[in-house]
Amino acid sequence: MNEEKKGTDDIAKDVENCTKVFTLSEFSRETGIRIELLRRFINRQTRQVRAETWDKISPSIMDLLGETDRRHTKRIGPAYRRHAELVEMVSDQKVLLDVYNVLPSTKQQAVIKAWGAKVASRPTAFTSLSADENKLMGSFLAMDPQTRESELLALIREARKEIASRR
Protein backbone atom coordinates (compact mmCIF):
# COMPACT_ATOMS: atom_id res chain seq x y z
CA MET A 1 0.00 0.00 0.00
CA ASN A 2 1.17 3.53 -0.65
CA GLU A 3 0.90 6.62 1.56
CA GLU A 4 -2.87 6.76 1.16
CA LYS A 5 -4.42 4.24 3.49
CA LYS A 6 -7.90 2.85 3.31
CA GLY A 7 -10.56 4.63 5.33
CA THR A 8 -11.21 3.46 8.86
CA ASP A 9 -14.56 1.94 7.87
CA ASP A 10 -12.92 -0.04 5.07
CA ILE A 11 -10.25 -1.34 7.43
CA ALA A 12 -12.87 -2.27 10.01
CA LYS A 13 -14.84 -4.22 7.38
CA ASP A 14 -11.71 -5.98 6.12
CA VAL A 15 -10.60 -6.98 9.61
CA GLU A 16 -14.11 -8.13 10.47
CA ASN A 17 -14.26 -10.23 7.28
CA CYS A 18 -10.90 -11.79 8.13
CA THR A 19 -12.19 -12.73 11.58
CA LYS A 20 -15.01 -14.63 9.88
CA VAL A 21 -12.39 -16.84 8.26
CA PHE A 22 -10.01 -16.90 11.26
CA THR A 23 -10.80 -16.58 14.93
CA LEU A 24 -9.69 -13.28 16.39
CA SER A 25 -6.80 -14.97 18.21
CA GLU A 26 -5.64 -16.70 15.00
CA PHE A 27 -5.75 -13.40 13.12
CA SER A 28 -3.83 -11.75 15.96
CA ARG A 29 -1.20 -14.50 15.87
CA GLU A 30 -0.97 -14.27 12.08
CA THR A 31 -0.51 -10.49 12.00
CA GLY A 32 1.25 -9.90 15.31
CA ILE A 33 -1.38 -7.30 16.29
CA ARG A 34 -2.89 -7.41 19.78
CA ILE A 35 -6.45 -8.78 20.02
CA GLU A 36 -7.60 -5.63 21.83
CA LEU A 37 -6.44 -3.45 18.93
CA LEU A 38 -8.16 -5.69 16.39
CA ARG A 39 -11.38 -5.43 18.41
CA ARG A 40 -11.07 -1.63 18.36
CA PHE A 41 -10.80 -1.75 14.56
CA ILE A 42 -13.85 -3.96 14.23
CA ASN A 43 -15.93 -1.88 16.65
CA ARG A 44 -14.71 1.34 14.99
CA GLN A 45 -13.34 2.69 18.28
CA THR A 46 -10.17 3.99 16.67
CA ARG A 47 -9.86 6.92 14.30
CA GLN A 48 -6.52 6.17 12.69
CA VAL A 49 -4.38 3.20 11.86
CA ARG A 50 -0.65 3.66 12.28
CA ALA A 51 1.38 2.84 9.19
CA GLU A 52 3.31 0.03 10.90
CA THR A 53 0.03 -1.55 12.09
CA TRP A 54 -1.48 -1.33 8.62
CA ASP A 55 1.68 -2.87 7.15
CA LYS A 56 1.16 -5.88 9.44
CA ILE A 57 -2.56 -6.24 8.71
CA SER A 58 -2.68 -5.56 4.99
CA PRO A 59 -0.77 -8.64 3.73
CA SER A 60 -3.14 -10.98 5.58
CA ILE A 61 -6.16 -9.12 4.29
CA MET A 62 -4.82 -9.10 0.74
CA ASP A 63 -4.08 -12.83 0.93
CA LEU A 64 -7.61 -13.58 2.10
CA LEU A 65 -9.13 -11.38 -0.57
CA GLY A 66 -6.91 -12.99 -3.22
CA GLU A 67 -5.46 -9.65 -4.25
CA THR A 68 -1.82 -10.58 -3.94
CA ASP A 69 0.57 -13.09 -5.40
CA ARG A 70 3.22 -12.31 -2.78
CA ARG A 71 4.76 -15.29 -1.03
CA HIS A 72 3.44 -15.59 2.50
CA THR A 73 6.13 -15.74 5.16
CA LYS A 74 5.85 -18.41 7.79
CA ARG A 75 5.71 -17.36 11.45
CA ILE A 76 8.54 -18.94 13.43
CA GLY A 77 8.37 -19.10 17.20
CA PRO A 78 5.45 -18.69 19.58
CA ALA A 79 2.83 -15.97 19.40
CA TYR A 80 3.29 -12.65 21.15
CA ARG A 81 3.07 -12.98 24.95
CA ARG A 82 1.42 -10.36 27.13
CA HIS A 83 2.37 -10.16 30.78
CA ALA A 84 3.27 -7.29 33.11
CA GLU A 85 6.65 -8.86 33.92
CA LEU A 86 7.59 -8.94 30.27
CA VAL A 87 6.82 -5.24 29.91
CA GLU A 88 9.22 -4.46 32.78
CA MET A 89 12.16 -6.33 31.19
CA VAL A 90 14.88 -4.49 29.30
CA SER A 91 15.10 -5.01 25.56
CA ASP A 92 18.05 -7.44 25.74
CA GLN A 93 16.01 -9.72 27.99
CA LYS A 94 13.07 -9.61 25.58
CA VAL A 95 15.34 -10.31 22.62
CA LEU A 96 16.89 -13.21 24.53
CA LEU A 97 13.48 -14.80 25.09
CA ASP A 98 12.41 -14.30 21.47
CA VAL A 99 15.64 -15.75 20.11
CA TYR A 100 15.62 -18.63 22.57
CA ASN A 101 12.07 -19.60 21.60
CA VAL A 102 13.01 -19.80 17.91
CA LEU A 103 15.60 -22.49 18.58
CA PRO A 104 14.66 -26.19 18.61
CA SER A 105 14.46 -27.79 22.06
CA THR A 106 17.80 -29.60 21.70
CA LYS A 107 19.61 -26.32 21.05
CA GLN A 108 17.66 -24.64 23.85
CA GLN A 109 18.87 -27.23 26.33
CA ALA A 110 22.44 -26.91 25.03
CA VAL A 111 22.36 -23.13 25.57
CA ILE A 112 21.03 -23.51 29.12
CA LYS A 113 23.74 -26.08 29.91
CA ALA A 114 26.54 -24.03 28.33
CA TRP A 115 25.53 -20.81 30.05
CA GLY A 116 25.06 -22.62 33.36
CA ALA A 117 28.64 -23.93 33.08
CA LYS A 118 30.00 -20.42 32.33
CA VAL A 119 28.50 -18.66 35.31
CA ALA A 120 27.13 -19.69 38.68
CA SER A 121 23.57 -18.43 38.92
CA ARG A 122 20.11 -19.07 40.25
CA PRO A 123 17.00 -19.16 38.09
CA THR A 124 14.90 -16.02 38.07
CA ALA A 125 11.39 -16.17 39.51
CA PHE A 126 9.33 -14.71 36.66
CA THR A 127 5.88 -16.30 36.75
CA SER A 128 5.37 -15.59 33.04
CA LEU A 129 8.43 -17.65 32.05
CA SER A 130 8.87 -21.41 31.93
CA ALA A 131 11.36 -23.14 34.23
CA ASP A 132 13.92 -23.36 31.42
CA GLU A 133 13.43 -19.70 30.50
CA ASN A 134 13.96 -18.75 34.15
CA LYS A 135 17.22 -20.77 34.21
CA LEU A 136 18.34 -19.07 31.01
CA MET A 137 17.42 -15.60 32.30
CA GLY A 138 19.21 -16.25 35.61
CA SER A 139 22.41 -17.19 33.79
CA PHE A 140 22.06 -14.23 31.42
CA LEU A 141 21.65 -11.73 34.25
CA ALA A 142 24.59 -13.21 36.19
CA MET A 143 27.01 -12.61 33.29
CA ASP A 144 29.11 -9.47 33.13
CA PRO A 145 27.80 -6.94 30.55
CA GLN A 146 30.44 -7.69 27.89
CA THR A 147 29.95 -11.46 28.09
CA ARG A 148 26.19 -10.96 28.13
CA GLU A 149 26.33 -8.94 24.92
CA SER A 150 28.66 -11.33 23.09
CA GLU A 151 26.62 -14.39 24.13
CA LEU A 152 23.36 -12.73 23.07
CA LEU A 153 24.81 -11.77 19.68
CA ALA A 154 26.08 -15.32 19.16
CA LEU A 155 22.64 -16.67 20.05
CA ILE A 156 21.02 -14.24 17.62
CA ARG A 157 23.30 -15.43 14.81
CA GLU A 158 22.40 -19.03 15.58
CA ALA A 159 18.68 -18.22 15.63
CA ARG A 160 18.92 -16.36 12.31
CA LYS A 161 20.46 -19.46 10.73
CA GLU A 162 17.64 -21.56 12.21
CA ILE A 163 15.00 -19.19 10.86
CA ALA A 164 16.61 -19.17 7.42
CA SER A 165 16.61 -22.96 7.35
CA ARG A 166 12.89 -23.13 8.17
CA ARG A 167 11.65 -20.68 5.54
Side-chain angles (χ1 to χ4, degrees), residues 23 25 34 114:
T23 64
S25 62
R34 293 177 296 132

Side-chain angles (χ1 to χ4, degrees), residues 11-12 14-43 57 60 64 79 82:
I11 292 170
D14 288 345
V15 171
E16 189 173 12
N17 288 336
C18 287
T19 59
K20 290 177 183 175
V21 177
F22 294 121
T23 64
L24 200 56
S25 62
E26 288 173 332
F27 191 62
S28 172
R29 187 172 42 248
E30 176 75 22
T31 60
I33 306 291
R34 293 177 296 132
I35 293 173
E36 297 83 23
L37 186 56
L38 292 173
R39 279 195 184 113
R40 279 190 242 145
F41 290 148
I42 292 170
N43 297 329
I57 292 174
S60 296
L64 288 172
R82 298 162 195 82

Side-chain angles (χ1 to χ4, degrees), residues 7 16 39 52 69 79 85 90 116 119 125 130 135 145 158 166:
E16 189 173 12
R39 279 195 184 113
E52 68 183 60
D69 57 339
E85 290 177 337
V90 295
V119 65
S130 69
K135 288 178 193 174
E158 190 172 333
R166 290 189 195 179

